[in-house]
Amino acid sequence: MRVTKLKENQIWAFYENMILLKNSSVFAFYEIKSMVANTMSLLEKEKLKVSVASVINDLHPFGDFEINDVPMTRDLIAIFEELSDRLDPKDVYRNLAETIFKKTLNEIYETSGVPFSYKHYLVVPLKSLHISVDLKSVVKQAYRDTKQTFMEGFGIYEDIDENWYEKYLPQRQVLESRLSLLHYKPLTIQETIFLNLLQYRRGLSLDVDSEIKQVQSSIENIDDVNITIENVNVMKLSNGDDETYIAHYPIGTLPRNISHIHIVERLKNLNFPVESKIKAKFVGTKGFWSIAGQTTRAQDKIKNAVSEDMEAGDSANQEQLDDFYLLNDLKDKINAKEKMLHYMHTLIVTGESIEVLKLKLDMLTATLEDVGVLKASADQIYLFYKNMFGETLEFWDKNFIQKVTVEGFCENLFFVSHKVGTDVGWYIGKVDNEVTSWFGDFRTALQSSNNLVLSDLLQANKLEVNGKVTNNPHVLITGDTGNGKSFAAKLIVVLHTLLKCKLLYIDPKDELKGQFLAVAQELEEQGLYPELVAYIRSINFVSLDPTKKENVGMLDPIVFLPKSEGKALAKSLVWTLSEKDDEKDTALSSALDKVYDEKEAGEQRGMLDVFEELANSDKERIQHFGSALLGNAHDSTLSVVFSRGEHKGISMRDKVTVIGIKNVELPSESSQIEMTDSERNGLVVLNAIGYFCKRFGSADIAEETITVMDEGWLFETSSTGKKILNDIKRLGRSQNNFLIVITQSVVDVNAEGDNTGFGTVFAFREENHVAEILDYIKVPNTEETYKWVDNMTMAQCIYYDTFGRKERITIDGGFFPELSKLFATVKVKEEKDTYSWEEVS
C-alpha cells in the first residue's frame, strides 16, 4: 500500500555545510576523517576513545548531536581514470593497463557486488529551542513556529531571509574550535544536499549530479520518492524503475559491561553495507526526571526486591547485585559531574528483496550477538522519519533509548575504518577482518570481505598526500616459501611497471625470464591477449650467466660507465681479488687512464685490456699482478665483469630491466676471512651489480625509479651485500628511488647501523618468527595479535602502509588468470589451460 508522508521534508534552505529547517533550527554537517586505530591495537583504540570523548564533552552547550556512518559506493571507474593519468603514455603499457582495469572491475562486481566504503559524519545544531539560554528568544521562536504552522494551514508562507546563515557563522566558528581534536572537514553545499538526499534514496541507484541540481532548483524534490509498505511492516522505496527494501534495526539493549563493545567498528566486518545512525542528547543530572533521579529510583526498586526475597527466605541473586553495583558506579560518575547522554542507535539496511533483508538481519545479529538488535517491525515508519537529519530526541521518545556517560558512549568506537593502502591505486586484494584461520581457503576470505585494498607505492614519495606518517619510499615483502610472498611481490611489481617510472629487477635465481617468455609464447600460439605479449616482449631480460658468451662483459666498468665513475668501481673490483698496495694502485690507475683514453678515441676496450696493460709492465711485480688478474678472468664467473668490450653492456635506458644471476657463489658472513676463489669472484660480480643498481636509482632524480631485490637474504649474507642494500636505501626519497626487498624473513633486514628502514611492509606468515613480525610492524605481542599473524593462510599478509595502518589482507590473484601465469614459481603441466592460485604462488 502507498504511504501518505507522515512528515513532509523539513528543510527550508542550504548554505555551505548548514541546513535551515522550517522551525528555524540550523544544523552544521562535518565529515570526520578516519583515524588510525589498527584492528589489533587496543592501546590505539583507547587513545582514540579518549580524544573522541573530549570532543563530545565539548559539544554539551549545543545540546544534541548526531554521528552517522554512511556506506558510500566506491566509484572504481573514477579511481581507475585518476590512476590512468599516472600511466606510462606508451601504448604497450596503456593497452595492458586498460585490460587490467576491465578485468578488475568484472572480478569485483561479479564476486563482491557493488564496492563500498564508510564515511563518518557529525551533525550538530547551531540553534535549537531546547538549548537557547535567552528566554525572550525561546518565547519569540515558539510564537513564530505556532504562527507559521497556522498560516501554512491557509496556504500562506513566509519568505526566507536570503542572508539567514550570517547570524549562525559565529556559532559555527565556536563549534569548529571544539572539534579541533578530530580531523574534520565542513561539507560543501553539494555534499550537504547529497547527504540529506540520501536519506530518501538509500539502496537506489541515482545520478548524483542530476539529483543535486534538481534539489537546488526546488528543495521539494529532496523527498521525491515513493514509499510503500509490504507484508504489513516492510518499507519499500521506489524511484522510477528502481526499487529497494529498507529496514531499521534499533539497538534495544546493551550488555551490563560495555567496555570494548566497539559496535560501530564491528559493523565494518560485514561484507554488506550497514548505515549506523546515532541520535544523542545531553541530559541533566539533577531533578526528578534526571538520570540521577532515575538511578535512585532504580536502586530503591532493587532494594525493595532484595528485601522481599530475604523475607521469603531467599538471598539476592547475582543479577540484582550486579545492577546495584552498576547503579552505584553511575551515581559516582554523576557526582563527579561526568556528562550524561540519552541516545538512540539505529542500524539501517537495504536489500533487493524481503528475503535478502532477513538474511542480512541474521548476519547482523550474529555479528552483534551480545547486543539486542531489534526488528522493530511496528516502528519502521517512525524510525524512518526519526532518523532524518534535523530530528532530535524528545522527552516522548521512550523506546530504544540508551542512557550512558559520555565515556560509555565512546565505547562504541567511532570514526575508525579498517582501511589500508591508498585511495587511488591498483587493486591487489581485500582486508580480512578475521583473527581465526581460513585453513587455506583464501577464496572464502575474499568473498567474505567487501573492503578493497588499492596500492600505489609511488605515493609514498609524494608531498601532497595527506595523512602519511612517513615519506620512506622503501618496501619490504617477507614470508616463508609457499605462502604467496613471491606471487604478491611479482603482481605488485608488474602493476607498478605500467606507471610513469623505470624498474630494475635483480633476480638471483634467474626465474623470471624463462617464465615470462614461456607465457608470451603460449599466448601467441593461442592468439590471446596480444597486449600482454607485447608487454612481456618489451622487458629487457639480462641473464648474467658466465657460461654464455653473449653475457661476457655485461657489467664491465669500462663498457657501461664513464671514466669519472668507472675508475673507482674498477679499482674496487680489483682490490676484492688482490691485496692492495701503493705500487699496484699507481700502476692500476695508469693502466685505467690509458685504456679509457683509447676507448674515448673510439677503440673497443674493456677491463681485460687494463689487465693486459699491467701484464706488459716493465716491472716484474706488476707483470705478475696483471697476469694473475688475466688468469682469474678467463673462463670464470668474472667474465661477466671483465671483457674486451665486445658487448655493449647493460643499458639503463630500458623502462623495465630484469637482471638474472646464475652460477654466482657468495660467501657467508662467517666465511669472508677465508673465502674460496669462487666466493671472492662472486663478491666481484655482486659489487658490480650493486654499483649498477645505485647508478640506476640516481641517474635522473626527476625520474621515479624502482629497484627490486628478490631473494634479499642473499644480500644480507655478506658485509658487501649489506652495504649495497644500505647504499641503495639511502638514495631513497632524495633521488626518487624506491627499493623493494623480497626476502624470507623480517629477521633478514634487521641490520645493525641501518636506520632507514622500510615505509611499507607486506609480511606473510613466518612459522618461526611470528613475534618478530609483530615487533617489526610495531604491534604489541598479545595472545590475540599472535593468533592474528599466526593464523594467516596462503595468500594472506599483514599490510603496513605509509599511513601507519596495519591490516591483515588477502591478495587476489584471480582477476586476470593469464597475468597470474607470469608469477608461477613451480613447474606446471603444459597441457593445462588454467592455473590455480596454489600453483602460481
Side-chain angles (χ1 to χ4, degrees):
M1 69 174 183
R2 179 85 163 87
V3 174
T4 302
K5 290 176 183 175
L6 300 182
K7 190 166 187 176
E8 296 289 341
N9 162 52
Q10 296 298 300
I11 301 175
W12 210 349
F14 291 94
Y15 176 78
E16 294 180 348
N17 69 321
M18 297 189 291
I19 62 171
L20 170 65
L21 301 187
K22 292 176 181 177
N23 66 1
S24 296
S25 292
V26 174
F27 289 78
F29 289 72
Y30 298 88
E31 180 183 349
I32 307 299
K33 298 296 184 180
S34 295
M35 291 181 280
V36 175
N38 296 298
T39 301
M40 303 308 297
S41 178
L42 289 178
L43 180 61
E44 287 181 0
K45 292 178 183 180
E46 291 306 308
K47 289 180 180 178
L48 187 151
K49 284 186 278 190
V50 170
S51 297
V52 173
S54 177
V55 172
I56 298 297
N57 276 312
D58 283 346
L59 296 181
H60 182 261
F62 296 89
D64 299 275
F65 65 89
E66 177 172 335
I67 295 177
N68 201 5
D69 266 32
V70 182
M72 295 287 192
T73 300
R74 296 186 78 174
D75 189 348
L76 293 183
I77 293 176
I79 289 173
F80 289 153
E81 284 178 349
E82 185 173 345
L83 183 62
S84 69
D85 294 337
R86 307 174 192 175
L87 293 176
D88 190 296
K90 293 181 181 176
D91 287 344
V92 66
Y93 306 110
R94 283 195 167 272
N95 292 341
L96 178 58
E98 287 175 7
T99 298
I100 290 174
F101 289 161
K102 292 174 185 176
K103 290 277 190 180
T104 301
L105 286 170
N106 289 337
E107 169 75 9
I108 290 172
Y109 278 94
E110 287 179 8
T111 61
S112 305
V114 179
F116 63 89
S117 60
Y118 286 93
K119 288 192 174 183
H120 321 290
Y121 297 96
L122 176 66
V123 183
V124 182
L126 298 180
K127 180 182 179 183
S128 169
L129 293 177
H130 308 288
I131 64 172
S132 175
V133 294
D134 185 344
L135 184 58
K136 283 186 178 181
S137 176
V138 172
V139 174
K140 183 179 178 182
Q141 185 60 51
Y143 168 74
R144 280 176 54 84
D145 290 341
T146 304
K147 173 189 170 187
Q148 183 63 23
T149 302
F150 178 78
M151 291 173 65
E152 288 178 1
F154 292 93
I156 302 171
Y157 296 87
E158 288 188 89
D159 292 330
I160 305 170
D161 179 2
E162 59 183 36
N163 296 320
W164 61 268
Y165 54 85
E166 290 181 350
K167 56 187 169 185
Y168 301 107
L169 295 179
Q171 288 172 275
R172 187 176 71 172
Q173 188 174 2
V174 170
L175 170 61
E176 290 178 0
S177 70
R178 295 170 184 261
L179 301 180
S180 59
L181 288 179
L182 300 178
H183 186 191
Y184 72 90
K185 181 185 83 70
L187 300 191
T188 64
I189 187 169
Q190 290 81 12
E191 291 170 333
T192 306
I193 291 172
F194 174 68
L195 195 59
N196 282 273
L197 184 71
L198 200 59
Q199 309 302 293
Y200 299 94
R201 305 291 196 279
R202 292 185 187 96
L204 298 174
S205 57
L206 68 161
D207 183 333
V208 176
D209 292 337
S210 174
E211 297 261 10
I212 290 174
K213 288 177 182 177
Q214 289 179 39
V215 173
Q216 287 176 318
S217 67
S218 173
I219 207 162
E220 298 306 317
N221 288 327
I222 200 167
D223 60 355
D224 186 19
V225 65
N226 292 321
I227 304 172
T228 56
I229 295 292
E230 298 197 3
N231 286 14
V232 181
N233 54 21
V234 179
M235 294 185 69
K236 183 170 78 171
L237 306 180
S238 56
N239 186 17
D241 295 331
D242 196 15
E243 61 182 33
T244 188
Y245 293 87
I246 183 170
H248 302 73
Y249 302 127
I251 302 295
T253 58
L254 297 174
R256 285 186 173 81
N257 184 0
I258 59 174
S259 296
H260 311 301
I261 195 168
H262 298 178
I263 291 176
V264 177
E265 182 198 31
R266 287 154 66 187
L267 294 173
K268 311 297 190 302
N269 294 342
L270 294 160
N271 65 350
F272 60 87
V274 179
E275 183 176 349
S276 167
K277 260 187 172 289
I278 290 182
K279 302 274 187 181
K281 178 184 289 293
F282 289 93
V283 294
T285 57
K286 294 181 180 180
F288 183 81
W289 297 110
S290 67
I291 286 185
Q294 294 176 39
T295 301
T296 300
R297 290 192 293 277
Q299 282 188 312
D300 290 340
K301 188 175 179 179
I302 293 173
K303 287 178 182 178
N304 292 336
V306 171
S307 296
E308 290 174 4
D309 288 341
M310 293 181 69
E311 287 176 5
D314 297 325
S315 59
N317 61 48
Q318 188 61 47
E319 185 174 331
Q320 290 173 323
L321 294 175
D322 289 344
D323 287 344
F324 192 82
Y325 171 79
L326 290 171
L327 289 168
N328 260 337
D329 182 60
L330 183 58
K331 287 183 73 173
D332 290 341
K333 292 180 185 299
I334 293 170
N335 292 333
K337 301 186 183 306
E338 290 193 31
K339 295 181 176 65
M340 310 298 294
L341 290 171
H342 282 180
Y343 75 93
M344 180 170 69
H345 191 176
T346 306
L347 309 178
I348 305 173
V349 177
T350 61
E352 60 269 25
S353 68
I354 296 174
E355 289 69 29
V356 169
L357 282 183
K358 290 178 179 177
L359 179 61
K360 289 182 177 180
L361 175 59
D362 290 341
M363 297 172 69
L364 186 58
T365 52
T367 299
L368 301 178
E369 58 184 352
D370 56 337
V371 174
V373 179
L374 304 180
K375 290 179 66 176
S377 298
D379 295 289
Q380 290 299 301
I381 296 175
Y382 160 76
L383 290 168
F384 178 77
Y385 285 103
K386 191 65 187 179
N387 279 291
M388 291 293 169
F389 291 118
E391 289 290 328
T392 57
L393 294 183
E394 309 294 349
F395 71 89
W396 55 77
D397 292 312
K398 301 296 184 183
N399 296 327
F400 324 124
I401 303 298
Q402 312 300 327
K403 305 167 186 178
V404 294
T405 62
V406 168
E407 181 186 45
F409 175 74
C410 292
E411 287 296 324
N412 282 290
L413 192 55
F414 300 107
F415 313 132
V416 172
S417 66
H418 293 170
K419 179 183 177 182
V420 69
T422 52
D423 291 330
V424 176
W426 298 103
Y427 167 69
I428 60 171
K430 297 178 183 178
V431 172
D432 177 31
N433 297 309
E434 291 295 323
V435 174
T436 56
S437 175
W438 293 96
F439 298 104
D441 190 3
F442 56 85
R443 293 183 184 84
T444 302
L446 287 168
Q447 292 167 3
S448 299
S449 174
N450 200 305
N451 191 349
L452 308 183
V453 178
L454 306 180
S455 184
D456 177 0
L457 300 179
L458 299 182
Q459 290 299 289
N461 209 21
K462 303 292 189 296
L463 294 176
E464 69 273 12
V465 180
N466 293 324
K468 290 191 303 178
V469 297
T470 179
N471 290 320
N472 186 329
H474 303 314
V475 181
L476 176 65
I477 306 176
T478 68
D480 288 340
T481 301
N483 286 324
K485 170 196 63 185
S486 294
F487 180 96
K490 291 167 188 172
L491 171 66
I492 291 167
V493 166
V494 167
L495 292 176
H496 282 76
T497 59
L498 305 180
L499 301 178
K500 295 173 184 175
C501 66
K502 285 170 63 175
L503 182 135
L504 172 65
Y505 194 113
I506 305 301
D507 181 15
K509 293 182 179 179
D510 199 19
E511 291 179 335
L512 266 65
K513 179 180 179 180
Q515 183 63 26
F516 277 48
L517 295 180
V519 171
Q521 182 177 344
E522 180 183 335
L523 292 175
E524 278 181 323
E525 291 171 354
Q526 297 173 353
L528 297 174
Y529 297 107
E531 65 273 31
L532 179 53
V533 174
Y535 165 79
I536 296 170
R537 300 293 187 201
S538 74
I539 298 173
N540 176 30
F541 289 104
V542 179
S543 295
L544 295 181
D545 185 350
T547 63
K548 303 289 180 62
K549 288 185 178 180
E550 62 266 25
N551 294 316
V552 170
M554 295 297 286
L555 288 171
D556 192 316
I558 304 290
V559 175
F560 83 92
L561 290 174
K563 182 178 179 180
S564 58
E565 296 179 65
K567 276 188 69 176
L569 176 60
K571 284 188 172 186
S572 173
L573 301 181
V574 168
W575 301 136
T576 302
L577 296 170
S578 178
E579 188 174 346
K580 179 182 177 181
D581 62 42
D582 289 343
E583 184 181 18
K584 289 194 291 186
D585 189 52
T586 300
L588 179 59
S589 291
S590 298
L592 284 166
D593 287 338
K594 184 174 185 299
V595 171
Y596 259 112
D597 289 343
E598 293 169 350
K599 177 196 173 186
E600 290 170 3
E603 297 186 46
Q604 177 183 297
R605 289 291 182 267
M607 283 297 292
L608 291 181
D609 296 301
V610 173
F611 300 159
E612 193 166 279
E613 186 72 24
L614 293 170
N616 293 332
S617 171
D618 295 335
K619 296 179 180 180
E620 184 177 353
R621 187 165 180 269
I622 301 302
Q623 290 177 14
H624 288 309
F625 173 45
S627 297
L629 290 172
L630 278 172
N632 285 339
H634 284 297
D635 298 322
S636 74
T637 304
L638 296 176
S639 64
V640 299
V641 181
F642 302 143
S643 71
R644 295 194 181 274
E646 56 265 51
H647 296 123
K648 65 177 183 179
I650 293 181
S651 169
M652 284 188 289
R653 293 189 298 272
D654 292 288
K655 176 179 170 64
V656 182
T657 300
V658 177
I659 299 180
I661 307 171
K662 277 190 173 180
N663 302 312
V664 175
E665 186 178 349
L666 296 174
S668 64
E669 191 78 51
S670 59
S671 67
Q672 290 194 68
I673 297 175
E674 296 182 8
M675 284 185 284
T676 65
D677 289 342
S678 295
E679 290 172 339
R680 196 178 299 279
N681 293 349
L683 279 184
V684 172
V685 175
L686 190 66
N687 263 317
I689 292 172
Y691 195 91
F692 179 80
C693 291
K694 285 187 285 184
R695 196 167 190 275
F696 171 83
S698 60
D700 184 356
I701 63 172
E703 183 177 50
E704 289 180 318
T705 54
I706 301 175
T707 303
V708 184
M709 294 288 193
D710 203 346
E711 301 295 340
W713 62 272
L714 288 173
F715 293 87
E716 294 289 343
T717 60
S718 66
S719 57
T720 300
K722 288 179 180 178
K723 183 178 185 305
I724 289 171
L725 273 181
N726 291 338
D727 287 347
I728 297 172
K729 286 170 74 176
R730 291 189 182 99
L731 294 177
R733 187 165 172 263
S734 63
Q735 302 292 326
N736 259 333
N737 180 248
F738 297 73
L739 173 65
I740 299 178
V741 174
I742 308 164
T743 190
Q744 293 180 354
S745 175
V746 294
V747 176
D748 296 336
V749 294
N750 278 326
E752 292 183 12
D754 175 24
N755 298 317
T756 51
F758 293 87
T760 300
V761 178
F762 296 89
F764 288 79
R765 185 175 181 273
E766 297 177 37
E767 185 175 359
N768 298 319
H769 295 114
V770 175
E772 287 81 358
I773 291 175
L774 289 167
D775 182 59
Y776 196 85
I777 62 174
K778 300 179 177 64
V779 171
N781 187 349
T782 65
E783 181 179 354
E784 195 77 355
T785 59
Y786 194 94
K787 290 178 182 177
W788 182 57
V789 172
D790 196 40
N791 284 335
M792 288 193 298
T793 192
M794 183 172 59
Q796 292 193 319
C797 66
I798 306 299
Y799 183 6
Y800 180 11
D801 68 14
T802 54
F803 300 88
R805 300 175 299 215
K806 306 142 193 173
E807 298 294 344
R808 191 167 104 173
I809 72 169
T810 309
I811 299 295
D812 190 347
F815 64 90
F816 193 173
E818 291 76 13
L819 180 70
S820 296
K821 293 180 185 179
L822 296 178
F823 317 138
T825 54
V826 296
K827 194 77 173 177
V828 291
K829 296 181 179 179
E830 293 183 1
E831 65 269 16
K832 292 190 69 172
D833 294 325
T834 59
Y835 295 71
S836 70
W837 213 103
E838 292 92 336
E839 288 174 315
V840 297
S841 62

